[in-house]
Amino acid sequence: MIMKGAKKMKWKAPKNELISILKNMTFPKSVLLIVASGQINFTSSDNTVMTKSHVEAIIDEVGSACVSATVLYDILTKLRGDYVTFETKEQTLLVKGLKTTVSIALLDMVNFPYQITEPDNWLFTIQSSDLKKAIKKTNHAIQSEKVPDTLKGLQIQASGNELIFIGTDKKQFAMFKLELPSEEHFEAIIPKEHLKWLENILGSGEVSFALQDNFGVFATSTHVLYTRTLNGPYPSLLKMLALKPVCKITLDSDVLINSVELATVTADKTTTKGTKLVYLSTKEDGLTIVARNELGSTNDYIEAATEGDEVKVVYDSSHLIHAVKAAAMSKAELGFVGADSPLIISGDEGTYVISAIKSREVF
């Protein structure tokens, strides 16, 4: 007897190719649908994200089956031999290696989470390396806890020929831009928890994107990833970027990061719910960075090109470090909007904003 929805099948494929494909399709608690017909088609899902792929194989008997993706992947990584044979028998899938046979319980195919077709039209196609860079430069500003659901993801929006990626937790903002060859207009929010699965399927080629049935769909030459989108209002970064800095400073990024990291050692966190505060004061020809707690204090001065008014303001040290690193400029360009006001950090391809923290302490 075969489990409901399954059809008897038998096929054989190279083990390393299977491991390479399934590695990027195996999520915690994911279910894997296998269909043998012309080629071996795989679909895995955990109810929130779904991935499709395929592999060429020697098929003796067409059919289908459903098993635990994590169990099958774990078996393949430990099985000896260059080829693996799969065969359904009664209520199990037999997985045969060099001299080993492992049986896996079949799951009910009728209750497989999703059956979604590929989009007919794609909104954009870009280099996978550009999407990797967009995620890397914005991911630090996205939080998965203690924020509204819509902020737990990366916003992707197209406005004309600009493709914009934004991450924020309302205390820090990160924006990365790319040019599109054609005009598009859309918005989507991709959950942060799925970004790692997206990064896993990105190779050296191109990646295409579409929206379908409340899913964001990413397609590469080897995989198609479907991720549920988040719905709701997303904060606008444009209003913050419209603010005019009253002071601009340009200084060496590595020196600035080193100074803030040093100050973090003595930054107060006992009265700020774990936030480590650093106090910045702009001077006529540089920047002073101060931090203090019950164990000690740090006072550092960095010479820098300065233009505008002198400003005193407090920031979260981790927000400042993340933003300067993401800007990836040899010289950091800091725009101080004023006391108790945001700091704007500019990069070649991205813009980063961190909110000030109000403090009554004199520094």
Side-chain angles (χ1 to χ4, degrees):
M1 176 183 176
I2 299 293
M3 284 294 288
K4 191 174 181 181
K7 295 180 180 179
K8 192 174 180 181
M9 68 176 185
K10 184 178 181 181
W11 55 277
K12 178 180 180 181
K15 184 183 71 175
N16 288 340
E17 287 187 28
L18 292 168
I19 290 174
S20 177
I21 290 292
L22 295 179
K23 178 181 179 180
N24 299 324
M25 301 182 68
T26 305
F27 329 117
K29 300 181 181 179
S30 58
V31 176
L32 181 69
L33 177 64
I34 306 170
V35 178
S37 178
Q39 62 183 6
I40 307 302
N41 296 300
F42 298 110
T43 305
S44 68
S45 178
D46 67 354
N47 280 320
T48 61
V49 62
M50 182 177 75
T51 309
K52 292 184 176 184
S53 191
H54 63 271
V55 68
E56 297 299 325
I58 300 171
I59 301 175
D60 294 325
E61 192 168 2
V62 298
S64 55
C66 191
V67 296
S68 165
T70 52
V71 171
L72 178 57
Y73 178 73
D74 200 23
I75 290 170
L76 290 174
T77 59
K78 296 174 174 61
L79 205 62
R80 299 190 307 276
D82 295 330
Y83 280 82
V84 183
T85 299
F86 298 81
E87 182 179 4
T88 51
K89 187 174 182 180
E90 296 181 346
Q91 297 187 32
T92 63
L93 175 65
L94 301 181
V95 183
K96 302 176 183 180
L98 184 62
K99 293 185 178 181
T100 307
T101 299
V102 183
S103 63
I104 309 174
L106 292 179
L107 303 178
D108 192 346
M109 285 179 55
V110 175
N111 295 321
F112 187 79
Y114 298 112
Q115 292 290 346
I116 304 175
T117 58
E118 276 194 36
D120 293 326
N121 299 301
W122 300 93
L123 293 170
F124 67 78
T125 298
I126 60 175
Q127 291 297 316
S128 292
S129 57
D130 287 334
L131 184 52
K132 287 181 184 178
K133 186 186 294 186
I135 295 172
K136 181 179 179 180
K137 287 182 174 291
T138 55
N139 204 18
H140 68 272
I142 309 170
Q143 302 298 322
S144 299
E145 299 177 354
K146 299 180 180 179
V147 295
D149 286 346
T150 52
L151 299 189
K152 295 178 181 179
L154 171 69
Q155 187 193 50
I156 304 176
Q157 61 170 273
S159 179
N161 291 95
E162 276 193 330
L163 183 61
I164 306 171
F165 301 84
I166 299 175
T168 182
D169 60 4
K170 285 194 172 181
K171 296 178 182 177
Q172 53 184 335
F173 293 78
M175 180 175 69
F176 180 80
K177 290 184 178 181
L178 292 171
E179 287 188 8
L180 288 175
S182 61
E183 287 199 9
E184 299 289 348
H185 295 275
F186 68 85
E187 292 184 6
I189 305 172
I190 308 301
K192 178 184 176 74
E193 62 186 304
H194 295 165
L195 294 179
K196 62 181 179 181
W197 300 114
L198 173 56
E199 288 182 284
N200 286 344
I201 71 168
L202 297 176
S204 58
E206 294 181 329
V207 57
S208 299
F209 175 77
L211 290 170
Q212 181 167 310
D213 301 327
N214 293 319
F215 280 82
V217 188
F218 298 87
T220 68
S221 60
T222 58
H223 292 80
V224 181
L225 176 73
Y226 297 73
T227 167
R228 276 199 179 278
T229 54
L230 301 175
N231 298 316
Y234 201 85
S236 174
L237 180 58
L238 299 180
K239 291 181 180 179
M240 300 190 74
L241 293 179
L243 298 173
K244 300 297 182 183
V246 298
C247 179
K248 294 182 179 180
I249 289 185
T250 303
L251 69 169
D252 186 278
S253 292
D254 291 338
V255 173
L256 175 59
I257 291 171
N258 177 262
S259 179
V260 176
E261 288 178 338
L262 177 62
T264 301
V265 177
T266 60
D268 179 32
K269 65 174 183 177
T270 57
T271 61
T272 56
K273 298 182 180 179
T275 301
K276 294 188 175 184
L277 306 183
V278 289
Y279 299 77
L280 275 59
S281 301
T282 66
K283 305 296 182 182
E284 185 177 346
D285 55 358
L287 178 70
T288 298
I289 298 175
V290 175
R292 60 175 68 94
N293 60 20
E294 69 279 5
L295 299 178
S297 64
T298 301
N299 191 312
D300 192 17
Y301 181 76
I302 305 173
E303 292 185 355
T306 306
E307 177 186 338
D309 302 336
E310 291 190 357
V311 176
K312 292 184 176 182
V313 63
V314 184
Y315 297 110
D316 181 323
S317 63
S318 65
H319 293 172
L320 182 55
I321 291 169
H322 285 316
V324 174
K325 286 184 176 180
M329 300 278 285
S330 59
K331 295 290 185 179
E333 298 179 5
L334 311 182
F336 293 85
V337 178
D340 296 333
S341 297
L343 173 66
I344 301 174
I345 301 170
S346 301
D348 278 340
E349 300 163 310
T351 304
Y352 308 87
V353 181
I354 60 175
S355 298
I357 298 173
K358 293 185 179 181
S359 175
R360 296 180 180 178
E361 187 173 350
V362 178
F363 64 99

